[in-house]
Amino acid sequence: MSTPTEVGGRERLGRVVPDAIAALHEVLRRHNVTEDEWYAVLEYLTAVGKADEFVLLSDVTRTSVLIDAMSHNADGDATASDVEGPLYRADPPWREAPVKLYEDYEGAEDGEVLFVRGRVTSTDGTPLPDAVIDIWQTGPNGGYDTWDERQPEFNFRGRWRVADEAGAYQFQTMLPKPYTVPTQGPVGRYLEAMGQHPWRPAHIHFKVTAPGHEPLTTQVFFPDDPYLENDTIGAVKPALVRPVERRGDHLGCDFDIALAPAG
Ligand code: BEZ
Ligand code: FE
């Protein structure tokens, strides 16, 4: 873990932090915030830290979306980025071709098998066979492996090298459904107090890296989802909504990925 000083440097910290404090003081003064209220805020933030929910708080306050928008060029030819969220697990298993992201488990019976396929290229169209794709998503119900006891560890997670001259990839998964972000902790209390629903539209998270290219973290969404217009973290980008169609006994979805050259 890096400190803000290590990331931004002492000089930048000296410019940003006083502005942040001045903005906070202005709000406290404008609303005449009392001593009791301020100590309740501090207690609340302590609980957020203890529950390891600061990323989640950044997400539901749509601060992560703001930072993503400021950090990545939305007008270029590269695939649009999107926020990572708090549910990525480092070092997921390497999957062998043909990639299947899950083991069957009790509770997945109602799910629909989905094949996602596409090409990973540079923005000029050059295929990237050395790209590594890393996926994480919920199951068709029950959410992520980390909180669904029926699922084996790292179910619906995995990475692999594209290893195809044309940059083509394909993986077998199940169509995820909308789900709620974790609500049992302090961020859940925030959502309730603010009258903000906890739902996210169904999506699949991608991290894609390739030598000589900017890494991409993004999400793919599906049409006709009731939460496309009101994702609780506000992360839906129209360019990332991809049609799903029936292909025989399974569903199919195409998602081509273009990475920007480094620098
Ligand atoms: C997610 O999509 O995994 C997620 C994003 C933000 C908050 C909680 C979950
Ligand atoms: Fe997610």
Side-chain angles (χ1 to χ4, degrees), residues 84 87 136-138 144 179 200-201 203-205 219:
E84 178 169 319
L87 299 167
W136 70 106
Q137 64 164 88
T138 60
Y144 282 95
Y179 66 87
R200 295 217 60 213
H203 57 274
I204 299 176
H205 297 267
Q219 305 181 27

Side-chain angles (χ1 to χ4, degrees), residues 17-234:
V17 172
D19 270 6
I21 293 172
L24 173 65
H25 287 188
E26 194 279 319
V27 170
L28 297 178
R29 240 184 245 114
R30 177 150 39 99
H31 293 280
N32 236 330
V33 170
T34 67
E35 210 167 25
D36 282 352
E37 286 169 337
W38 180 241
Y39 280 105
V41 169
L42 297 184
E43 222 170 275
Y44 176 75
L45 291 176
T46 303
V48 171
K50 281 189 180 154
D52 197 9
E53 285 195 344
F54 266 113
V55 174
L56 185 56
L57 187 62
S58 162
D59 294 336
V60 301
T61 55
R62 304 191 172 187
T63 312
S64 302
V65 161
L66 170 68
I67 295 288
D68 171 56
M70 294 192 303
S71 306
H72 302 279
N73 178 7
D75 304 326
D77 296 328
T79 299
S81 61
D82 210 333
V83 300
E84 178 169 319
L87 299 167
Y88 177 70
R89 290 180 73 181
D91 299 324
W94 289 93
R95 305 277 184 192
E96 301 280 333
V99 175
K100 184 181 173 199
L101 265 195
Y102 62 96
E103 288 170 45
D104 296 307
Y105 65 100
E106 199 186 321
E109 313 77 52
D110 309 332
E112 293 215 70
V113 174
L114 171 70
F115 281 83
V116 181
R117 68 182 183 196
R119 287 179 71 222
V120 184
T121 63
S122 187
T123 43
D124 69 0
T126 311
L128 297 174
D130 285 329
V132 170
I133 300 178
D134 183 346
I135 302 287
W136 70 106
Q137 64 164 88
T138 60
N141 55 47
Y144 282 95
D145 61 330
T146 36
W147 68 62
D148 180 5
E149 284 148 12
R150 298 168 302 183
Q151 292 191 51
E153 259 216 300
F154 286 105
N155 218 31
F156 294 109
R157 296 174 188 268
R159 59 183 154 164
W160 68 96
R161 196 175 141 262
V162 166
D164 175 86
E165 294 231 326
Y169 76 89
Q170 172 167 285
F171 63 95
Q172 178 182 343
T173 185
M174 295 184 100
L175 186 68
K177 300 227 175 83
Y179 66 87
T180 66
V181 301
T183 54
Q184 74 286 357
V187 169
R189 297 205 297 279
Y190 165 87
L191 291 172
E192 204 177 331
M194 301 307 288
Q196 181 177 337
H197 75 71
W199 288 89
R200 295 217 60 213
H203 57 274
I204 299 176
H205 297 267
F206 284 68
K207 261 184 202 285
V208 187
T209 54
H213 288 76
E214 298 290 344
L216 171 73
T217 299
T218 193
Q219 305 181 27
V220 171
F221 304 90
F222 311 104
D224 304 323
D225 188 295
Y227 296 101
L228 274 186
E229 301 294 328
N230 60 355
D231 178 5
T232 195
I233 72 164

